[in-house]
């Protein structure tokens, strides 16, 4: 497919470039952005937030529908953007007044006077560039989890949110649910005691992983702008069955099971225990064999399953271990769960909904408590204890619970930076959480760092194989400086090189 004739943006727009573009932009009337009227954080004389949506299908559809259903009717989906006509078509039909673009760069360039917030729900590898460009236009930003593909990008977006003074929110709606407040109230009331261990697990991946890079050269589907879809990723020919979902299993585009559900499931302990950066990470991942003693090494794909341990030192000096498991691996069965019960349903299901996608289990010095992903529906263990819990509500609930996660962002944007709280701001929460989640991927990718060796097997004789120097280590992590301090090869996964014409990122 031919590339666009327009010159690609080589870096996210600076404020000076933006001001110049505003001066040259054509006339049109929707709303004048707040910062143009009265500086950063200025509250516009409008009670509506005009939103540009980058991404139209999947999670983007959910986001867009929540803005449209805001109880205060104070959000307007003014622009739609997607590289895939198949994903865009239903939203275009639903929002006929919203102007549509294929290229977010063209949208930002031509229409920046006509919207004041951006919502982004696209494949992980393009999150950072779109998000940073929006903030540099002084647009408030809602960005789906995980914030970014790389650790470095997460740090940069956190710094940008602080510099440009815009309202930011990560799309982990569980952070706004009632259960998160209930858990905090239980912890502060001393029901669980001091938390010593946390277990987090998920049913992901629910897409192919642990596989070789696809062969062949299938045609690009009609309506898909493949070059725009690739964006920051290094160029490869179109891959069948990659769009719109299975990209998650490939490191070039996605962030695997951890990236998909880590922010949802690790978010409650990260927020409630104020964990900060981990100091150490270790673990293991599944191996796949393609022959006798011949391991299939697929460095471009995430593993079939993994089990990781993050070690944290809390503010009061206590150590807390957080265990992550995916691909069907779960913690050791609790004696508090009836032997005839499905432990996933007991610990992590949403009652009456059979919606197990993940679970968080807290082990304290006085007791145990679990919840569904995002902190929803917390329950003490054994379950018989729950009927006697009468801890008064101390923290105000978000109107609409999980649904209110989108609505509180809209309200905060209209109020202006610093005027209202949101539950997943980049600074102090979503940024460091994303870095922690992506550290897990750094460890998993280090598992495939290899060198070819020859060895003599007592049964099969002389054989060729590999030595994997990055496996079964405890990586020491300097979170402040984003460095592994005891195994240098792992640091290659902190920051990737963007495709020519799409970067690098710069504040």
């Amino acid at each position: 497919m031919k590339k666009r004739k327009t010159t690609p943006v080589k870096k996210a727009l600076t404020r000076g470039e933006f001001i110049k573009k505003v001066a040259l932009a054509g006339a049109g009337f929707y709303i004048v952005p707040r910062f143009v009227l009265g500086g950063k954080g200025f509250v516009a004389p409008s009670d509506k937030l005009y939103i540009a949506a980058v991404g139209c299908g999947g999670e983007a559809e959910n986001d867009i529908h929540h803005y449209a259903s805001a109880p205060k009717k104070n959000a307007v989906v003014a622009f739609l953007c997607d590289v895939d006509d198949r994903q865009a078509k239903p939203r275009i039909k639903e929002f006929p007044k919203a102007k549509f673009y294929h290229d977010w760069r063209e949208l930002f360039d031509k229409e920046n006077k006509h919207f004041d917030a951006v919502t982004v729900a696209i494949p992980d590898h393009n999150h950072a560039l779109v998000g940073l460009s929006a903030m540099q236009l002084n647009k408030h930003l809602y960005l789906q989890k995980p914030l970014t593909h790389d650790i470095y990008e997460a740090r940069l977006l956190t710094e940008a949110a602080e510099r440009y003074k815009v309202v930011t929110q990560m799309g982990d709606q569980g952070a706004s649910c009632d259960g998160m407040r209930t858990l905090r109230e239980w912890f502060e009331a001393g029901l669980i005691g001091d938390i010593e261990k946390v277990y987090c697990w998920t049913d992901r991946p629910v897409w192919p992983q642990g596989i070789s890079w696809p062969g062949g050269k299938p045609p690009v589907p009609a309506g898909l702008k493949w070059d725009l879809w690739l964006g920051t990723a290094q160029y490869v020919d179109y891959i069948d069955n990659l769009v719109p979902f299975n990209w998650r299993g490939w490191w070039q585009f996605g962030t695997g099971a951890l990236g998909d559900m880590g922010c949802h499931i690790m978010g409650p302990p990260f927020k409630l225990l104020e964990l900060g950066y981990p100091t150490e990470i270790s673990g293991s991942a599944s191996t796949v064999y393609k022959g006798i003693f011949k391991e299939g090494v697929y460095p471009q794909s995430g593993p079939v399953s993994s089990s990781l341990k993050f070690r944290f030192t809390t503010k009061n000096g206590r150590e807390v271990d957080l265990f992550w498991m995916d691909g069907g691996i779960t913690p050791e069965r609790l004696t508090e769960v009836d032997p005839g019960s499905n432990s996933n349903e007991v610990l992590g299901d949403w009652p009456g909904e059979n919606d197990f996608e993940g679970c968080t289990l807290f082990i304290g010095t006085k007791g145990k408590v679990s919840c569904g992903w995002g902190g929803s529906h917390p329950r003490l263990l054994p379950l018989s204890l729950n009927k006697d819990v009468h801890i008064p509500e101390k923290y105000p609930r978000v109107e609409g619970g999980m649904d209110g996660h989108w609505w509180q962002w809209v309200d905060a944007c209209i109020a202006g930076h610093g005027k209202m709280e949101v539950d997943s701001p980049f600074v102090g929460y979503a940024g460091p959480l994303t870095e922690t989640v992506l550290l897990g991927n750094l460890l998993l990718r280090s598992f495939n760092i290899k060198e070819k060796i020859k060895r003599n097997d007592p049964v099969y004789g002389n054989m060729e194989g590999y030595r994997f120097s990055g496996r079964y280590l405890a990586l020491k992590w300097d979170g402040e400086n984003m460095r592994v301090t005891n195994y240098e090869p792992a640091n290659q996964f902190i920051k990737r090189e963007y495709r020519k014409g799409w970067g690098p990122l710069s504040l």
Side-chain angles (χ1 to χ4, degrees):
M1 177 171 285
K2 293 182 179 179
K3 296 182 180 180
R4 292 183 55 85
K5 293 183 180 180
T6 53
T7 302
V9 175
K10 293 186 178 181
K11 65 177 182 178
L13 293 175
T14 66
R15 179 175 172 82
E17 290 170 331
F18 167 72
I19 292 173
K20 180 179 179 181
K21 289 181 179 296
V22 168
L24 297 175
F29 178 74
Y30 292 87
I31 190 170
V32 180
R34 291 162 177 74
F35 77 92
V36 173
L37 289 171
K40 294 180 181 179
F42 180 77
V43 180
S46 169
D47 59 356
K48 291 186 182 295
L49 185 75
Y50 286 73
I51 301 172
V54 180
C56 291
E59 289 294 334
E61 176 184 357
N62 190 36
D63 295 345
I64 291 169
H65 285 165
H66 275 92
Y67 305 132
S69 64
K72 297 178 183 178
K73 308 298 180 185
N74 56 353
V76 177
V77 179
F79 296 94
L80 296 169
C81 181
D82 203 297
V83 301
D84 192 341
D85 290 341
R86 299 167 299 177
Q87 298 294 307
K89 188 176 179 179
R91 303 294 85 70
I92 293 172
K93 185 176 180 180
E94 286 181 307
F95 300 90
K97 293 182 180 180
K99 191 172 181 179
F100 176 75
Y101 285 86
H102 286 114
D103 191 337
W104 63 270
R105 299 168 301 177
E106 184 181 5
L107 165 61
F108 285 12
D109 185 28
K110 292 183 177 179
E111 307 289 356
N112 55 66
K113 289 175 63 177
H114 305 147
F115 62 89
D116 54 6
V118 176
T119 180
V120 181
I122 56 179
D124 300 343
H125 67 288
N126 286 323
H127 276 196
L129 182 59
V130 180
L132 179 60
S133 298
M135 287 191 283
Q136 289 180 325
L137 289 173
N138 288 100
K139 307 301 179 184
H140 304 300
L141 179 62
Y142 188 101
L143 183 56
Q144 265 299 335
K145 51 76 193 168
L147 284 189
T148 61
H149 182 277
D150 304 336
I151 295 171
Y152 169 80
E153 294 173 330
R155 180 68 59 86
L156 198 67
L157 260 62
T158 303
E159 292 174 353
E162 205 157 21
R163 172 178 292 193
Y164 297 107
K165 306 300 181 187
V166 293
V167 178
T168 57
Q169 180 92 305
M170 181 170 70
D172 60 330
Q173 60 269 31
S176 298
C177 74
D178 291 355
M180 285 286 282
R181 277 84 182 151
T182 299
L183 283 167
R184 184 177 294 282
E185 290 156 355
W186 288 0
F187 289 171
E188 292 182 358
L191 287 185
I192 317 301
D194 293 330
I195 304 300
E196 297 181 321
K197 294 181 181 179
V198 182
Y199 291 90
C200 302
W201 68 101
T202 181
D203 62 348
R204 304 307 198 264
V206 293
W207 52 82
Q209 283 192 186
I211 56 177
S212 60
W213 189 260
K217 191 176 180 180
V220 177
L224 174 63
K225 310 298 185 290
W226 177 240
D227 190 73
L228 288 178
W229 189 93
L230 284 174
T232 64
Q234 298 300 319
Y235 186 83
V236 294
D237 291 327
Y238 172 73
I239 302 166
D240 209 8
N241 295 321
L242 182 76
V243 180
F245 188 69
N246 289 341
W247 53 266
R248 292 185 180 277
W250 300 106
W251 294 129
Q252 186 165 345
F253 314 117
T255 50
L258 261 167
D260 184 44
M261 293 300 288
C263 291
H264 283 313
I265 301 171
M266 291 170 61
F270 198 87
K271 174 171 283 193
L272 297 172
L273 305 181
E274 299 181 303
L275 292 178
Y277 298 124
T279 58
E280 182 181 296
I281 181 172
S282 58
S284 58
S286 57
T287 53
V288 179
Y289 282 81
K290 60 181 181 180
I292 298 174
F293 285 104
K294 292 183 179 179
E295 181 179 342
V297 181
Y298 308 121
Q300 293 167 309
S301 176
V304 174
S305 59
S306 69
S307 177
L308 308 177
K309 182 175 81 170
F310 299 80
R311 172 154 289 183
F312 296 86
T313 301
T314 63
K315 291 181 178 179
N316 61 9
R318 291 188 306 104
E319 287 194 340
V320 174
D321 288 335
L322 186 153
F323 298 87
W324 169 268
M325 302 171 186
D326 58 47
I329 301 175
T330 64
E332 181 180 354
R333 188 180 182 88
L334 298 179
T335 57
E336 291 88 347
V337 177
D338 183 271
S341 299
N342 181 314
S343 59
N344 278 354
E345 292 181 359
V346 172
L347 299 177
D349 192 13
W350 290 7
E353 298 182 27
N354 192 28
D355 187 36
F356 178 80
E357 295 185 2
C359 180
T360 304
L361 171 66
F362 298 87
I363 308 293
T365 54
K366 293 183 179 179
K368 302 171 185 176
V369 61
S370 70
C371 58
W373 66 264
S376 182
H377 301 293
R379 65 215 74 174
L380 294 167
L381 300 166
L383 297 178
S384 59
L385 295 175
N386 290 277
K387 65 179 184 298
D388 297 320
V389 179
H390 303 291
I391 304 299
E393 290 188 2
K394 179 179 178 181
Y395 296 101
R397 272 47 179 170
V398 175
E399 180 183 0
M402 281 194 180
D403 289 340
H405 193 68
W406 290 267
W407 304 338
Q408 71 168 195
W409 174 72
V410 171
D411 291 345
C413 292
I414 292 173
H417 179 266
K419 303 294 177 60
M420 289 180 59
E421 290 186 0
V422 293
D423 280 303
S424 293
F426 295 3
V427 178
Y429 177 66
L433 170 59
T434 297
E435 290 185 36
T436 299
V437 167
L438 297 179
L439 177 63
N441 285 343
L442 176 146
L443 179 103
L444 294 175
R445 298 184 73 177
S446 296
F447 260 56
N448 286 322
I449 296 174
K450 67 183 188 297
E451 58 178 310
K452 186 171 285 190
I453 61 171
K454 292 182 179 180
R455 66 187 182 89
N456 184 274
D457 185 88
V459 176
Y460 295 98
N462 293 329
M463 302 181 68
E464 287 190 349
Y466 295 98
R467 175 179 177 272
F468 297 91
S469 63
R471 293 187 179 180
Y472 311 116
L473 306 176
L475 300 184
K476 301 294 184 179
W477 181 243
D478 178 356
E480 193 65 33
N481 295 301
M482 296 183 290
R483 300 292 296 176
V484 173
T485 60
N486 64 332
Y487 182 64
E488 182 59 31
N491 289 316
Q492 66 184 284
F493 303 118
I494 293 170
K495 179 183 178 182
R496 66 196 158 99
E497 183 177 346
Y498 282 11
R499 185 159 58 116
K500 186 177 180 180
W502 290 88
L505 298 184
S506 174
L507 289 180

